[in-house]
Amino acid sequence: MDELGPILRALSDHPLPFIGGFFSGLFRVSPNEDPVKNWLAEQMGKPSTASSPSSPNSSNGKGPQTISID
């Protein structure tokens, strides 16, 4: 029961963001992809940008990636 304490505390302190984060993880929804990115920008009152920053560590949604370790 001690392991569930922080989770239950987060749920009781901020139930809506916790549930939203839980379901976005469950359905693998990324806040950096359309249409979620545009909706979040509208909710925050910020203009959305057409391009998203890309990095070598970003996921392209095609499953596991391979890496090489020397």
Side-chain angles (χ1 to χ4, degrees):
M1 186 67 178
D2 291 334
E3 295 85 16
L4 296 177
I7 294 172
L8 294 175
R9 194 169 319 123
L11 178 60
S12 65
D13 290 345
H14 307 285
L16 191 60
F18 181 86
I19 293 170
F22 177 79
F23 282 110
S24 68
L26 183 67
F27 295 122
R28 297 179 186 229
V29 175
S30 173
N32 297 324
E33 295 179 3
D34 287 327
V36 178
K37 181 174 68 172
N38 290 338
W39 181 82
L40 285 173
E42 289 175 10
Q43 297 301 315
M44 301 291 276
K46 298 178 183 176
S48 63
T49 58
S51 63
S52 63
S54 62
S55 68
N57 295 331
S58 66
S59 173
N60 61 4
K62 295 183 180 178
Q65 302 294 313
T66 58
I67 61 170
S68 62
I69 301 174
D70 293 331

